[in-house]
Amino acid sequence: MDATLNRDRGSVVLGALLMLILSVLLFWLPGIGSLIAGIVGGKVAGSVLRGLAAAILPSLLVGAALFFGISLIGLPIVGLLAGASTSVIFVAGSGMLLLGALIGGLLA
């Protein structure tokens, strides 16, 4: 029996959670902290695409939370603008995290 058939494919959610936690803990290492968080999270996610998805997932969740939170108080257009712009800014600012996720996915 081939050992690769039983190998776990990884978890995008666990990878995203590890990236978030490590990014917060390693904030004092500009660039390198995000790279380390991305490598670890990408390796846990299991592949390159899953690692990149894990890196982008927290940004999209924050944007969606802003959209729904602001929409609940009766301002759906403002919520849409706030959520979308926050997601774009977070994804644009996470270059080292994405690079680390790419490297970690290749190592998996």
Side-chain angles (χ1 to χ4, degrees):
M1 186 165 169
D2 191 28
T4 58
L5 293 177
N6 292 329
R7 195 175 127 199
D8 187 44
R9 292 177 29 102
S11 170
V12 174
V13 175
L14 184 59
L17 186 63
L18 277 174
M19 283 184 200
L20 182 65
I21 291 170
L22 287 174
S23 292
V24 170
L25 291 176
L26 298 174
F27 74 94
W28 53 276
L29 292 171
I32 301 298
S34 294
L35 183 67
I36 292 169
I39 291 172
V40 171
K43 188 155 176 61
V44 168
S47 72
V48 172
L49 290 178
R50 292 168 66 104
L52 293 175
I56 294 173
L57 182 66
S59 301
L60 297 178
L61 291 178
V62 168
L66 270 175
F67 167 68
F68 287 119
I70 294 174
S71 294
L72 285 176
I73 61 172
L75 301 169
I77 304 280
V78 174
L80 177 66
L81 292 174
S85 61
T86 301
S87 291
V88 167
I89 289 170
F90 281 1
V91 170
S94 62
M96 292 301 281
L97 186 68
L98 289 169
L99 178 63
L102 175 74
I103 294 169
L106 289 172
L107 292 175

mmCIF file of all heavy atoms in Angstrom, residues 22-51:
data_model
loop_
_atom_site.group_PDB
_atom_site.id
_atom_site.type_symbol
_atom_site.label_atom_id
_atom_site.label_comp_id
_atom_site.label_asym_id
_atom_site.label_seq_id
_atom_site.Cartn_x
_atom_site.Cartn_y
_atom_site.Cartn_z
ATOM 1 N N LEU A 22 0.628 33.523 14.424
ATOM 2 C CA LEU A 22 2.061 33.777 14.294
ATOM 3 C C LEU A 22 2.346 35.195 13.812
ATOM 4 O O LEU A 22 3.340 35.801 14.212
ATOM 5 C CB LEU A 22 2.700 32.757 13.360
ATOM 6 C CG LEU A 22 2.861 31.353 13.931
ATOM 7 C CD1 LEU A 22 3.381 30.398 12.870
ATOM 8 C CD2 LEU A 22 3.772 31.360 15.136
ATOM 9 N N SER A 23 1.499 35.740 12.951
ATOM 10 C CA SER A 23 1.689 37.124 12.504
ATOM 11 C C SER A 23 1.580 38.090 13.672
ATOM 12 O O SER A 23 2.347 39.052 13.766
ATOM 13 C CB SER A 23 0.659 37.485 11.441
ATOM 14 O OG SER A 23 0.890 36.777 10.269
ATOM 15 N N VAL A 24 0.636 37.826 14.563
ATOM 16 C CA VAL A 24 0.477 38.688 15.744
ATOM 17 C C VAL A 24 1.666 38.516 16.690
ATOM 18 O O VAL A 24 2.200 39.499 17.218
ATOM 19 C CB VAL A 24 -0.860 38.381 16.457
ATOM 20 C CG1 VAL A 24 -0.941 39.078 17.796
ATOM 21 C CG2 VAL A 24 -2.029 38.801 15.572
ATOM 22 N N LEU A 25 2.101 37.285 16.901
ATOM 23 C CA LEU A 25 3.212 37.044 17.827
ATOM 24 C C LEU A 25 4.555 37.541 17.289
ATOM 25 O O LEU A 25 5.437 37.915 18.068
ATOM 26 C CB LEU A 25 3.321 35.549 18.146
ATOM 27 C CG LEU A 25 2.196 34.959 18.995
ATOM 28 C CD1 LEU A 25 2.380 33.456 19.142
ATOM 29 C CD2 LEU A 25 2.127 35.628 20.351
ATOM 30 N N LEU A 26 4.720 37.545 15.968
ATOM 31 C CA LEU A 26 5.997 37.935 15.362
ATOM 32 C C LEU A 26 5.939 39.312 14.708
ATOM 33 O O LEU A 26 6.719 39.609 13.816
ATOM 34 C CB LEU A 26 6.429 36.889 14.334
ATOM 35 C CG LEU A 26 6.685 35.483 14.875
ATOM 36 C CD1 LEU A 26 6.965 34.513 13.741
ATOM 37 C CD2 LEU A 26 7.831 35.494 15.865
ATOM 38 N N PHE A 27 5.024 40.169 15.169
ATOM 39 C CA PHE A 27 4.883 41.500 14.579
ATOM 40 C C PHE A 27 6.161 42.324 14.710
ATOM 41 O O PHE A 27 6.420 43.216 13.907
ATOM 42 C CB PHE A 27 3.720 42.263 15.224
ATOM 43 C CG PHE A 27 4.029 42.751 16.616
ATOM 44 C CD1 PHE A 27 4.516 44.034 16.806
ATOM 45 C CD2 PHE A 27 3.844 41.943 17.716
ATOM 46 C CE1 PHE A 27 4.811 44.492 18.085
ATOM 47 C CE2 PHE A 27 4.137 42.391 18.984
ATOM 48 C CZ PHE A 27 4.625 43.664 19.167
ATOM 49 N N TRP A 28 6.989 42.039 15.677
ATOM 50 C CA TRP A 28 8.190 42.817 15.944
ATOM 51 C C TRP A 28 9.326 42.492 14.975
ATOM 52 O O TRP A 28 10.367 43.125 15.005
ATOM 53 C CB TRP A 28 8.636 42.613 17.391
ATOM 54 C CG TRP A 28 8.787 41.169 17.777
ATOM 55 C CD1 TRP A 28 7.811 40.331 18.200
ATOM 56 C CD2 TRP A 28 9.979 40.409 17.718
ATOM 57 N NE1 TRP A 28 8.325 39.074 18.415
ATOM 58 C CE2 TRP A 28 9.663 39.095 18.141
ATOM 59 C CE3 TRP A 28 11.294 40.695 17.379
ATOM 60 C CZ2 TRP A 28 10.593 38.089 18.212
ATOM 61 C CZ3 TRP A 28 12.226 39.679 17.446
ATOM 62 C CH2 TRP A 28 11.872 38.393 17.863
ATOM 63 N N LEU A 29 9.119 41.507 14.100
ATOM 64 C CA LEU A 29 10.078 41.180 13.045
ATOM 65 C C LEU A 29 9.469 41.606 11.702
ATOM 66 O O LEU A 29 8.817 40.807 11.037
ATOM 67 C CB LEU A 29 10.360 39.676 13.009
ATOM 68 C CG LEU A 29 11.097 39.072 14.179
ATOM 69 C CD1 LEU A 29 11.086 37.556 14.088
ATOM 70 C CD2 LEU A 29 12.524 39.580 14.220
ATOM 71 N N PRO A 30 9.646 42.860 11.299
ATOM 72 C CA PRO A 30 8.988 43.333 10.076
ATOM 73 C C PRO A 30 9.397 42.512 8.854
ATOM 74 O O PRO A 30 10.569 42.327 8.574
ATOM 75 C CB PRO A 30 9.470 44.774 9.925
ATOM 76 C CG PRO A 30 10.140 45.127 11.201
ATOM 77 C CD PRO A 30 10.491 43.873 11.901
ATOM 78 N N GLY A 31 8.422 42.030 8.141
ATOM 79 C CA GLY A 31 8.664 41.232 6.943
ATOM 80 C C GLY A 31 8.992 39.785 7.244
ATOM 81 O O GLY A 31 8.337 38.878 6.744
ATOM 82 N N ILE A 32 9.997 39.552 8.056
ATOM 83 C CA ILE A 32 10.428 38.188 8.376
ATOM 84 C C ILE A 32 9.355 37.454 9.183
ATOM 85 O O ILE A 32 9.118 36.263 8.971
ATOM 86 C CB ILE A 32 11.770 38.206 9.156
ATOM 87 C CG1 ILE A 32 12.860 38.882 8.332
ATOM 88 C CG2 ILE A 32 12.191 36.810 9.560
ATOM 89 C CD1 ILE A 32 13.192 38.193 7.040
ATOM 90 N N GLY A 33 8.694 38.151 10.106
ATOM 91 C CA GLY A 33 7.641 37.532 10.909
ATOM 92 C C GLY A 33 6.493 37.032 10.036
ATOM 93 O O GLY A 33 5.992 35.922 10.218
ATOM 94 N N SER A 34 6.085 37.853 9.074
ATOM 95 C CA SER A 34 5.018 37.443 8.157
ATOM 96 C C SER A 34 5.475 36.294 7.265
ATOM 97 O O SER A 34 4.695 35.394 6.958
ATOM 98 C CB SER A 34 4.595 38.621 7.281
ATOM 99 O OG SER A 34 4.004 39.618 8.057
ATOM 100 N N LEU A 35 6.725 36.325 6.848
ATOM 101 C CA LEU A 35 7.263 35.248 6.019
ATOM 102 C C LEU A 35 7.260 33.926 6.784
ATOM 103 O O LEU A 35 6.837 32.891 6.256
ATOM 104 C CB LEU A 35 8.681 35.589 5.556
ATOM 105 C CG LEU A 35 9.342 34.594 4.619
ATOM 106 C CD1 LEU A 35 8.621 34.566 3.281
ATOM 107 C CD2 LEU A 35 10.801 34.942 4.420
ATOM 108 N N ILE A 36 7.687 33.957 8.038
ATOM 109 C CA ILE A 36 7.695 32.745 8.867
ATOM 110 C C ILE A 36 6.272 32.233 9.067
ATOM 111 O O ILE A 36 5.997 31.035 8.947
ATOM 112 C CB ILE A 36 8.381 33.015 10.221
ATOM 113 C CG1 ILE A 36 9.869 33.270 10.005
ATOM 114 C CG2 ILE A 36 8.163 31.854 11.185
ATOM 115 C CD1 ILE A 36 10.585 33.798 11.233
ATOM 116 N N ALA A 37 5.342 33.152 9.370
ATOM 117 C CA ALA A 37 3.941 32.764 9.558
ATOM 118 C C ALA A 37 3.372 32.141 8.288
ATOM 119 O O ALA A 37 2.644 31.148 8.338
ATOM 120 C CB ALA A 37 3.115 33.979 9.971
ATOM 121 N N GLY A 38 3.720 32.699 7.137
ATOM 122 C CA GLY A 38 3.242 32.164 5.870
ATOM 123 C C GLY A 38 3.810 30.785 5.574
ATOM 124 O O GLY A 38 3.100 29.906 5.085
ATOM 125 N N ILE A 39 5.085 30.585 5.863
ATOM 126 C CA ILE A 39 5.709 29.279 5.618
ATOM 127 C C ILE A 39 5.050 28.206 6.479
ATOM 128 O O ILE A 39 4.687 27.131 5.992
ATOM 129 C CB ILE A 39 7.227 29.340 5.855
ATOM 130 C CG1 ILE A 39 7.901 30.181 4.773
ATOM 131 C CG2 ILE A 39 7.838 27.941 5.897
ATOM 132 C CD1 ILE A 39 9.359 30.471 5.017
ATOM 133 N N VAL A 40 4.878 28.512 7.762
ATOM 134 C CA VAL A 40 4.257 27.529 8.665
ATOM 135 C C VAL A 40 2.816 27.253 8.253
ATOM 136 O O VAL A 40 2.389 26.099 8.147
ATOM 137 C CB VAL A 40 4.337 28.016 10.134
ATOM 138 C CG1 VAL A 40 3.516 27.126 11.042
ATOM 139 C CG2 VAL A 40 5.774 28.075 10.595
ATOM 140 N N GLY A 41 2.053 28.311 7.993
ATOM 141 C CA GLY A 41 0.653 28.131 7.609
ATOM 142 C C GLY A 41 0.499 27.432 6.268
ATOM 143 O O GLY A 41 -0.391 26.600 6.093
ATOM 144 N N GLY A 42 1.373 27.745 5.304
ATOM 145 C CA GLY A 42 1.317 27.082 4.007
ATOM 146 C C GLY A 42 1.654 25.613 4.100
ATOM 147 O O GLY A 42 1.062 24.777 3.420
ATOM 148 N N LYS A 43 2.608 25.274 4.960
ATOM 149 C CA LYS A 43 2.964 23.867 5.157
ATOM 150 C C LYS A 43 1.813 23.104 5.814
ATOM 151 O O LYS A 43 1.505 21.982 5.424
ATOM 152 C CB LYS A 43 4.229 23.759 5.999
ATOM 153 C CG LYS A 43 4.779 22.355 6.089
ATOM 154 C CD LYS A 43 6.246 22.378 6.376
ATOM 155 C CE LYS A 43 6.816 20.999 6.558
ATOM 156 N NZ LYS A 43 6.684 20.142 5.401
ATOM 157 N N VAL A 44 1.154 23.743 6.783
ATOM 158 C CA VAL A 44 0.014 23.101 7.443
ATOM 159 C C VAL A 44 -1.157 22.953 6.473
ATOM 160 O O VAL A 44 -1.878 21.954 6.499
ATOM 161 C CB VAL A 44 -0.407 23.912 8.693
ATOM 162 C CG1 VAL A 44 -1.738 23.454 9.230
ATOM 163 C CG2 VAL A 44 0.656 23.785 9.769
ATOM 164 N N ALA A 45 -1.341 23.943 5.589
ATOM 165 C CA ALA A 45 -2.447 23.881 4.633
ATOM 166 C C ALA A 45 -2.283 22.723 3.653
ATOM 167 O O ALA A 45 -3.272 22.151 3.211
ATOM 168 C CB ALA A 45 -2.563 25.198 3.875
ATOM 169 N N GLY A 46 -1.051 22.385 3.284
ATOM 170 C CA GLY A 46 -0.830 21.175 2.517
ATOM 171 C C GLY A 46 -0.457 21.328 1.061
ATOM 172 O O GLY A 46 0.071 20.405 0.475
ATOM 173 N N SER A 47 -0.725 22.457 0.437
ATOM 174 C CA SER A 47 -0.340 22.656 -0.959
ATOM 175 C C SER A 47 -0.236 24.156 -1.230
ATOM 176 O O SER A 47 -0.616 24.975 -0.389
ATOM 177 C CB SER A 47 -1.347 22.015 -1.918
ATOM 178 O OG SER A 47 -2.551 22.744 -1.944
ATOM 179 N N VAL A 48 0.243 24.500 -2.405
ATOM 180 C CA VAL A 48 0.432 25.915 -2.736
ATOM 181 C C VAL A 48 -0.906 26.644 -2.779
ATOM 182 O O VAL A 48 -1.077 27.700 -2.151
ATOM 183 C CB VAL A 48 1.183 26.061 -4.083
ATOM 184 C CG1 VAL A 48 1.217 27.504 -4.525
ATOM 185 C CG2 VAL A 48 2.585 25.503 -3.968
ATOM 186 N N LEU A 49 -1.877 26.099 -3.506
ATOM 187 C CA LEU A 49 -3.173 26.777 -3.617
ATOM 188 C C LEU A 49 -3.894 26.863 -2.279
ATOM 189 O O LEU A 49 -4.501 27.880 -1.953
ATOM 190 C CB LEU A 49 -4.050 26.072 -4.653
ATOM 191 C CG LEU A 49 -3.614 26.226 -6.102
ATOM 192 C CD1 LEU A 49 -4.519 25.441 -7.030
ATOM 193 C CD2 LEU A 49 -3.599 27.693 -6.491
ATOM 194 N N ARG A 50 -3.812 25.799 -1.503
ATOM 195 C CA ARG A 50 -4.461 25.815 -0.190
ATOM 196 C C ARG A 50 -3.749 26.784 0.750
ATOM 197 O O ARG A 50 -4.372 27.444 1.573
ATOM 198 C CB ARG A 50 -4.482 24.402 0.393
ATOM 199 C CG ARG A 50 -5.390 23.480 -0.395
ATOM 200 C CD ARG A 50 -5.179 22.034 0.011
ATOM 201 N NE ARG A 50 -5.597 21.808 1.383
ATOM 202 C CZ ARG A 50 -6.733 21.204 1.713
ATOM 203 N NH1 ARG A 50 -7.523 20.746 0.776
ATOM 204 N NH2 ARG A 50 -7.043 21.036 2.970
ATOM 205 N N GLY A 51 -2.423 26.900 0.619
ATOM 206 C CA GLY A 51 -1.669 27.849 1.425
ATOM 207 C C GLY A 51 -2.018 29.294 1.082
ATOM 208 O O GLY A 51 -2.179 30.134 1.961
#
